[in-house]
Amino acid sequence: MRIDAGPIGSPSCRRMLEFEITLGEETRNVLLEQAAVLIGRRNEKSEVHLDLTPDDLVSRVHARVWLEDGAVIIEDLDSSGGTRVDHQKITGPTELQPSTKVELGETRLTIRQPAPTRKRGGAPKKPGGKRRPRPGRPRPRKPAASAEAEPEIVVEIEAPKPELEAQPAVGALQAEVTIEGATEMHAFESGEILIGRQHPGSDIGLDLSADLLVSRNHARVWQTRAICWVEDLDSTHGTRVNGEAIVAATVIQPGDHVQIGSVILRFWVEAAPKPKRPAKSREVPVPEGADEDAFPVLDSYPVFKEDSYRYHAPDHRGPEDLEEAFLSRKSPMGRIRTTHERALSEPFLPSDDAAVLLEQLPDLPRELDGLPDASGLADWLVNQLPDWMGGSKRAALFTIDFDQGRIKVLAHVPALKPILSDSLAHRALDLRTAFAWQQVGKKESVRRLSMHAGLYVPLISGNEELGILCVEDTDEEGEFSAGQLSALILISQLAAVHLQNRIWREAGN
């Protein structure tokens, strides 16, 4: 669904809508130079002008606001939670006053039309005259996708299309593109691209604007562990692999033909040298039977949002085990990159920014002793961590169900389903190492997470792997230090002993 702001030079294109957005205790203001705005959460299927991520109670396409004869009108678009105006659920188009309160999910909005301002310079427009659009170049886009980003004018301006140089990059996504018999080679720095026709609403990695059968957001292609995937994004004419229309994310081999419109494409990954496992100078114990190349270091790790994850025991971490599991994976929600790492065996690293966390240590054994079971311990811990970490908004504790061979979430805050990079979590367990991470840039992954930084600390007592403790920060500038990581290791090691005791007790051991 798309709402156009009108042709260039039309009155609607010059009008604006101002939004005051409040979620929790945070308030921000956004000004959009559009006469019609779609409100929801950023997604690949529908263009959204006002992104209310991370409020998961807001539907992907939730409501529409537009200007009509000087009035501001809002309409709910069959959202799951509905739209409320002054606490009353609306059932049709509703006029808003400047002081009217609008509620979508847990987000509160005040929507108004700002007073018009006179632009400097330029000759006055003659009555009845036609305004010729000036050729221009697209404005640079900010790397993070958030509603605080500079608003974009939804106006179609034909701009020169940048040509990608065919420079093979080791470990990067490669493409062979054939259009009307002519073949071009493309190399992408990112491991994930959108394919379609260039427009202001999305960062199109491979622009096929010359083919009118190609939708604006037509398909997505990405690679993980040198395996290429393609997914159709509800395009008008669909996406075909070797002549067959696909209905879900599909693995593509280097020789497979992907057809988008009348364009034929092949994708592959330029093989990268196999990375070496870190030296054992830190005396990190490797569980008996573990394959040293089972969880190699990667430039970035895929993140998923699932109910549970397959657990690979130390004696089932060979490349063949992982490859079979990897081919059955769903599409990742985004990608993260490690920024710090510390082995559980390393000495404590003093740090001023971990002072609040360390203040908990004297009373922590007594607090943990008073918790009756594993679930109660996990719930108490994840509710305390956001306060202790100074700015983090989310925490989760995942435990291993050995009977079912799954990694499951035992407790998390807030109520939204937590995310996890299970490949990085297994690497943390395998190396007995904790990691700090940040979300990769927008050019590297078109899918954006609402969490921008985090910590993964393995929960291990003795030689028994119990689970993973996760802390995340939704602040766009958020970053965790090596000192905070080291302090959380102390907390997690003490919690792991108590957690193991509760699990054994509940199992009757």
Side-chain angles (χ1 to χ4, degrees):
M1 182 182 296
R2 173 181 169 84
I3 304 295
D4 286 317
I8 297 175
S10 70
S12 63
C13 186
R14 297 194 300 272
R15 289 183 287 180
M16 298 183 180
L17 283 167
E18 183 179 2
F19 298 83
E20 182 183 276
I21 307 167
T22 301
L23 178 60
E25 298 179 356
E26 297 182 2
T27 299
R28 52 192 169 92
N29 292 283
V30 174
L31 183 65
L32 296 181
E33 193 171 344
Q34 296 175 206
V37 173
L38 281 182
I39 306 175
R41 290 185 293 116
R42 184 176 178 86
N43 64 92
E44 297 176 351
K45 295 184 178 180
S46 302
E47 183 179 345
V48 173
H49 307 121
L50 184 63
D51 179 18
L52 297 186
T53 305
D55 188 345
D56 283 359
L57 296 180
V58 174
S59 297
R60 293 187 176 185
V61 180
H62 196 113
R64 181 171 69 107
V65 176
W66 70 95
L67 294 170
E68 184 175 305
D69 297 329
V72 180
I73 312 295
I74 189 169
E75 178 183 29
D76 186 79
L77 298 177
D78 293 328
S79 64
S80 57
T83 301
R84 289 177 170 77
V85 173
D86 287 335
H87 307 295
Q88 298 295 319
K89 194 170 184 178
I90 63 174
T91 57
T94 303
E95 183 176 347
L96 301 177
Q97 301 302 321
S99 60
T100 301
K101 301 297 181 184
V102 178
E103 297 173 66
L104 287 75
E106 295 180 343
T107 304
R108 300 185 301 280
L109 303 174
T110 301
I111 308 169
R112 62 179 68 90
Q113 181 182 11
T117 57
R118 182 182 299 274
K119 294 184 179 180
R120 295 182 181 180
K125 185 179 176 182
K126 297 180 181 180
K130 293 185 178 180
R131 185 179 178 185
R132 178 181 298 176
R134 293 182 301 170
R137 59 182 182 183
R139 279 186 293 177
R141 301 167 64 87
K142 295 186 179 181
S146 71
E148 292 182 355
E150 183 180 23
E152 297 176 324
I153 304 173
V154 185
V155 177
E156 300 295 340
I157 299 179
E158 185 175 354
K161 300 168 189 169
E163 294 184 0
L164 294 172
E165 297 181 3
Q167 298 177 349
V170 173
L173 189 64
Q174 315 286 320
E176 178 189 89
V177 182
T178 303
I179 304 176
E180 296 181 350
T183 299
E184 298 177 352
M185 306 299 293
H186 293 257
F188 303 93
E189 293 182 2
S190 169
E192 179 180 18
I193 60 168
L194 282 181
I195 303 174
R197 292 187 289 119
Q198 199 65 258
H199 64 103
S202 295
D203 285 331
I204 299 298
L206 183 56
D207 183 15
L208 301 180
S209 296
D211 191 335
L212 297 181
L213 297 178
V214 176
S215 298
R216 291 192 170 187
N217 291 332
H218 196 111
R220 184 170 71 98
V221 174
W222 70 98
Q223 69 92 5
T224 43
R225 287 171 57 91
I227 299 174
C228 292
W229 296 73
V230 63
E231 177 183 36
D232 187 77
L233 301 178
D234 288 341
S235 64
T236 303
H237 298 286
T239 301
R240 295 179 178 273
V241 174
N242 296 330
E244 297 291 332
I246 62 174
V247 295
T250 302
V251 174
I252 45 177
Q253 303 297 333
D256 289 341
H257 287 180
V258 178
Q259 182 175 351
I260 294 177
S262 58
V263 181
I264 303 298
L265 308 104
R266 289 196 309 111
F267 294 95
W268 69 95
V269 176
E270 198 71 19
K274 198 170 189 180
K276 296 181 179 179
R277 190 182 185 92
K280 297 295 189 302
S281 59
R282 296 181 298 181
E283 298 180 357
V284 178
V286 179
E288 184 179 353
D291 188 307
E292 293 199 2
D293 292 322
F295 290 93
V297 60
L298 300 176
D299 179 65
S300 64
Y301 298 85
V303 175
F304 300 91
K305 199 173 189 178
E306 300 179 7
D307 294 326
S308 66
Y309 304 82
R310 181 181 298 189
Y311 170 64
H312 301 276
D315 56 346
H316 288 83
R317 290 177 181 168
E320 293 183 0
D321 297 315
L322 300 184
E323 206 67 27
E324 180 183 354
F326 195 82
L327 288 172
S328 66
R329 297 311 302 268
K330 298 178 182 178
S331 174
M333 301 293 296
R335 301 188 72 86
I336 60 177
R337 174 174 290 118
T338 59
T339 55
H340 302 286
E341 63 177 87
R342 290 191 68 80
L344 303 187
S345 59
E346 286 191 85
F348 171 68
L349 177 66
S351 173
D352 292 339
D353 53 11
V356 176
L357 201 63
L358 294 176
E359 290 174 1
Q360 316 307 317
L361 283 176
D363 296 325
L364 191 58
R366 175 178 52 81
E367 295 283 1
L368 293 173
D369 280 338
L371 299 169
D373 53 28
S375 180
L377 185 152
D379 188 64
W380 179 83
L381 186 59
V382 300
N383 276 279
Q384 302 303 314
L385 283 174
D387 293 333
W388 296 349
M389 297 301 293
S392 62
K393 301 293 191 301
R394 302 169 65 101
L397 193 153
F398 292 83
T399 55
I400 299 169
D401 186 328
F402 293 97
D403 293 332
Q404 296 184 11
R406 308 293 293 179
I407 298 176
K408 298 181 177 180
V409 62
L410 185 59
H412 60 96
V413 290
L416 309 175
K417 183 187 295 185
I419 63 168
L420 182 71
S421 173
D422 57 331
S423 54
L424 183 57
H426 273 95
R427 181 166 174 77
L429 291 167
D430 202 40
L431 291 180
R432 306 302 198 245
T433 297
F435 293 94
W437 56 263
Q438 281 189 305
Q439 180 175 202
V440 300
K442 188 177 180 182
K443 289 185 177 180
E444 297 179 76
S445 176
V446 295
R447 284 197 167 184
R448 308 307 296 157
L449 302 166
S450 57
M451 289 66 72
H452 295 278
L455 300 172
Y456 283 6
V457 180
L459 294 169
I460 298 172
S461 181
N463 200 36
E464 183 179 359
E465 298 178 349
L466 302 172
I468 294 286
L469 185 62
C470 307
V471 176
E472 297 157 355
D473 192 348
T474 58
D475 188 346
E476 196 168 315
E477 304 298 326
E479 182 177 0
F480 289 104
S481 69
Q484 288 174 306
L485 183 63
S486 182
L488 188 59
I489 289 174
L490 292 181
I491 300 290
S492 66
Q493 287 179 319
L494 186 56
V497 174
H498 287 263
L499 179 63
Q500 183 186 51
N501 178 269
R502 303 303 190 282
I503 292 175
W504 284 359
R505 185 189 305 169
E506 291 165 22
N509 295 334

